[in-house]
Amino acid sequence: MKQMRVLLVEDHGLVRAGFRALLEGISGIRVIGEAAEGRSALGMISSQKPNVVLMDIALPGLNGLATLEQVVKYHPKVQVIMLSMHANEEYVSRALRSGARGYVLKDADISELEL
């Protein structure tokens, strides 16, 4: 089985560490890097070639939605799963319309991370 290469994009270090620990416990997933903001994420996507980007919607500088649009435009094979604490239907629909493959609430059950 081919290993899924995941890039974590989240501005809170403790949250990133928690997601990394959870993902590394799932067979077939390898976290290949972490970024704390959108511009760094775009550079890492270009250099690290992840299959999946797990990205917070609220990032400093280039926010998650704007970063998502760039990923879809320049890296169309990369699947982006948005992370958010916002259950607001507007955020969900905007992310999905912009090209996100999924939307996971930060308070979701751990089993939902099994991509």
Side-chain angles (χ1 to χ4, degrees):
M1 168 158 90
K2 189 174 178 183
Q3 204 168 46
M4 186 180 305
R5 298 165 45 83
V6 177
L7 174 66
L8 292 174
V9 185
E10 162 64 55
D11 57 325
H12 295 97
L14 288 175
V15 175
R16 267 196 327 270
F19 275 110
R20 176 182 276 275
L22 291 171
L23 290 170
E24 288 179 342
I26 299 172
S27 177
I29 293 179
R30 186 170 130 224
V31 177
I32 59 165
E34 300 177 13
E37 50 87 30
R39 294 203 191 286
S40 296
L42 291 172
M44 291 183 79
I45 291 167
S46 292
S47 65
Q48 300 294 322
K49 308 285 190 245
N51 305 103
V52 175
V53 175
L54 194 58
M55 181 164 49
D56 189 5
I57 204 164
L59 295 170
L62 192 63
N63 71 42
L65 291 171
T67 303
L68 169 64
E69 291 172 1
Q70 295 296 307
V71 174
V72 169
K73 183 175 181 179
Y74 296 108
H75 307 281
K77 292 183 179 179
V78 175
Q79 296 184 32
V80 178
I81 309 293
M82 299 305 293
L83 290 170
S84 182
M85 62 182 195
H86 303 286
N88 182 312
E89 188 175 321
E90 180 181 336
Y91 282 108
V92 176
S93 62
R94 183 167 173 211
L96 296 175
R97 278 193 321 267
S98 295
R101 300 289 293 171
Y103 191 98
V104 178
L105 294 174
K106 290 182 181 179
D107 65 353
D109 189 77
I110 292 170
S111 64
E112 291 185 51
L113 282 179
E114 293 189 24
L115 311 166

